[in-house]
Amino acid sequence: MGLALIDDRDGFIWFDGASAPTAIAVSRTPEPKVRPADDNLQFGTVFTDHMFRIDYTEGRGWHDPRIVPYQAFDFDPATAVLHYAQAVFDGLKAFRGVDGTIRLFRPTKHAQRLVRSCEKLCIPALDPELILQSFHALVGIDQAWVPGKPGTALYLRPTVVATEPFLGVRPSNTYTYFLIASPVGSYYAEGINPVKILATDKYVRAVKGGMGDAKTAANYAASIYAAVEAKHLGFTQVLWLDGVEHRYLDEVGTMNIMLKIGDEIITPPLTGTILPGVTRDSILTLCHDWGLKASERPIAIEDVMAAARDGSLVEMWGTGTAAVVSPVGELGFRDERVIINGGKTGPLTQKLYDAIVAIQYARAADPHSWTMPLRTSQTRKTATA
Ligand SMILES: *Cc1c(COP(=O)(O)O)cnc(C)c1O
């Protein structure tokens, strides 16, 4: 990583104990914003005072890591990402624990996934350690923005976009990685709320050989039409089925799907069309820790509907960073609607939610070292020690 001076108005961030620290230049905002009260936080509407940014240029590589005041981009209208969606992102959270310490939840896993998403979109590789440092640097600078009320968090959105102004279709020669942060409220301010989902055999989100396992803008664009139609029909989310036979469960909305039939917890396997969720992985790990039978295997919608009819489908839920779990209270498919667990949050869903949240806020032990305390840093005037 180069130690170029780009904007040393406020110096460079150094992490204590880091062996080969990247010189991240810091330019603090002259006009800090007023933070919303913890009680008034929503999702992704308010952003902190600063952002992290690093640019890529063909031949030069990734250069000029810096923290600058949160600001708009000045993009050429021909910028590649605006036309062909060569873009990837990720989403993770920083929590203020009950002991006052700020912790990131599984940041290494999120950084590694962003790198894999880049690969799928032909975006030049970023060093996962640099991504990790960007998390620590931005949360460190804006740590006053990490809310403290139970259920709240600082949501981090690392994103990479193609920035070359060029209308030809090929990988861009220039990119920007940026990281923004948003204080978010409890997803369940009024308690965990089960949702109604509609399985669709009319639309597909992803197909084998496509980009379903990358966190990329185009997958979200592909989901909007079906989601709007489901909303018109009175459902909250779409249950996506596989793109070939339109039978096997893939994901729900933008979350991974899990269900419990009898004693078996089932989630579809990662075969290329499903985003490998960090929450999915955490929950599978907890299930194994607790000695529960958890299977990653294909499950067909007609088997789910049959299990609902005979009463063996006891719980169903989505998993993702924003909500941790989202219980499914009602499932529609073709002309049929079934109610799951009386439309209420099931005991296992609740137990999984409680266990993960307790680890995030350091109310419980963290046997798998999922949380990473914020690295202490200093700002120095020069890029070399
Ligand atoms: C982000 C995402 C998830 C959930 O992943 P987490 O790492 O648990 O937040 C699931 N499915 C899709 C399509 C996603 O984009």
Side-chain angles (χ1 to χ4, degrees):
M1 190 55 56
L3 301 180
L5 275 133
I6 26 193
D7 186 348
D8 63 343
R9 208 164 62 81
D10 296 295
F12 294 82
I13 289 189
W14 290 86
F15 294 106
D16 293 350
S19 51
T22 304
I24 299 172
V26 179
S27 178
R28 285 182 189 266
T29 181
E31 293 163 349
K33 292 178 270 197
V34 177
R35 285 197 304 117
D38 285 7
D39 284 327
N40 298 334
L41 295 171
Q42 291 161 330
F43 182 80
T45 52
V46 174
F47 299 92
T48 65
D49 281 326
H50 299 92
M51 60 196 276
F52 174 95
R53 176 170 180 178
I54 183 167
D55 299 307
Y56 178 90
T57 315
E58 189 73 24
R60 220 180 138 191
W62 289 101
H63 58 84
D64 292 341
R66 58 206 188 270
I67 285 186
V68 293
Y70 186 93
Q71 60 196 267
F73 289 116
D74 188 5
F75 275 162
D76 189 294
T79 298
V81 67
L82 304 178
H83 300 272
Y84 308 128
Q86 196 190 1
V88 299
F89 65 94
D90 218 281
L92 68 156
K93 284 176 171 176
F95 299 88
R96 194 178 290 280
V98 288
D99 56 356
T101 299
I102 295 169
R103 291 177 181 83
L104 299 165
F105 190 72
R106 308 196 75 180
T108 308
K109 198 125 176 107
H110 285 280
Q112 288 164 346
R113 186 170 68 190
L114 186 68
V115 173
R116 276 196 307 274
S117 296
C118 284
E119 210 174 295
K120 279 233 129 174
L121 275 284
C122 293
I123 295 172
L126 276 149
D127 176 4
E129 174 56 28
L130 174 76
I131 298 171
L132 200 58
Q133 286 195 21
S134 73
F135 300 161
H136 285 280
L138 184 65
V139 177
I141 290 278
D142 281 338
Q143 55 185 274
W145 287 81
V146 182
K149 204 185 161 206
T152 63
L154 187 68
Y155 180 80
L156 303 182
R157 171 54 63 88
T159 309
V160 193
V161 293
T163 53
E164 188 181 351
F166 174 63
L167 293 185
V169 181
R170 57 145 171 81
S172 174
N173 284 325
T174 60
Y175 298 86
T176 293
Y177 164 83
F178 61 89
L179 172 66
I180 54 175
S182 172
V184 295
S186 172
Y187 205 86
Y188 296 115
E190 277 105 47
I192 297 188
N193 205 6
V195 297
K196 299 177 183 182
I197 66 171
L198 177 65
T200 177
D201 54 5
K202 194 166 147 198
Y203 305 110
V204 297
R205 187 192 86 94
V207 289
K208 276 224 169 75
M211 302 194 298
D213 56 353
K215 215 164 171 77
T216 182
N219 288 338
Y220 281 65
S223 75
I224 293 173
Y225 192 91
V228 168
E229 194 171 282
K231 281 228 162 77
H232 283 311
L233 296 169
F235 294 89
T236 323
Q237 288 291 355
V238 174
L239 179 62
W240 301 103
L241 303 178
D242 76 278
V244 178
E245 294 181 62
H246 308 297
R247 282 183 64 205
Y248 296 97
L249 274 58
D250 255 3
E251 298 206 53
V252 58
T254 58
M255 300 178 96
N256 294 117
I257 187 74
M258 295 191 177
L259 42 100
K260 188 175 175 215
I261 296 180
D263 288 333
E264 187 190 14
I265 297 146
I266 306 164
T267 194
L270 302 176
T271 51
T273 59
I274 293 173
L275 199 278
V278 175
T279 317
R280 173 187 183 279
D281 181 84
S282 306
I283 286 185
L284 286 175
T285 303
L286 287 179
C287 289
H288 293 134
D289 287 354
W290 296 343
L292 302 175
K293 184 181 177 201
S295 318
E296 295 174 72
R297 65 171 177 89
I299 171 110
I301 185 68
E302 38 313 348
D303 295 338
V304 176
M305 298 306 281
R309 272 180 238 119
D310 73 20
S312 58
L313 173 64
V314 283
E315 293 185 45
M316 187 166 185
W317 66 92
T319 71
T321 293
V324 183
V325 294
S326 181
V328 176
E330 189 174 329
L331 168 63
F333 181 56
R334 297 188 178 145
D335 297 330
E336 196 179 353
R337 285 180 177 219
V338 292
I339 305 289
I340 301 163
N341 191 45
K344 299 206 168 57
T345 303
L348 178 62
T349 309
Q350 183 72 51
K351 189 179 168 189
L352 288 164
Y353 175 82
D354 292 342
I356 289 189
V357 168
I359 294 171
Q360 289 172 333
Y361 293 94
R363 274 192 273 108
D366 180 13
H368 300 285
S369 300
W370 284 336
T371 64
M372 183 186 257
L374 188 62
R375 291 179 187 165
T376 53
S377 63
Q378 333 160 0
T379 309
R380 293 192 199 157
K381 271 291 167 197
T382 54
T384 44

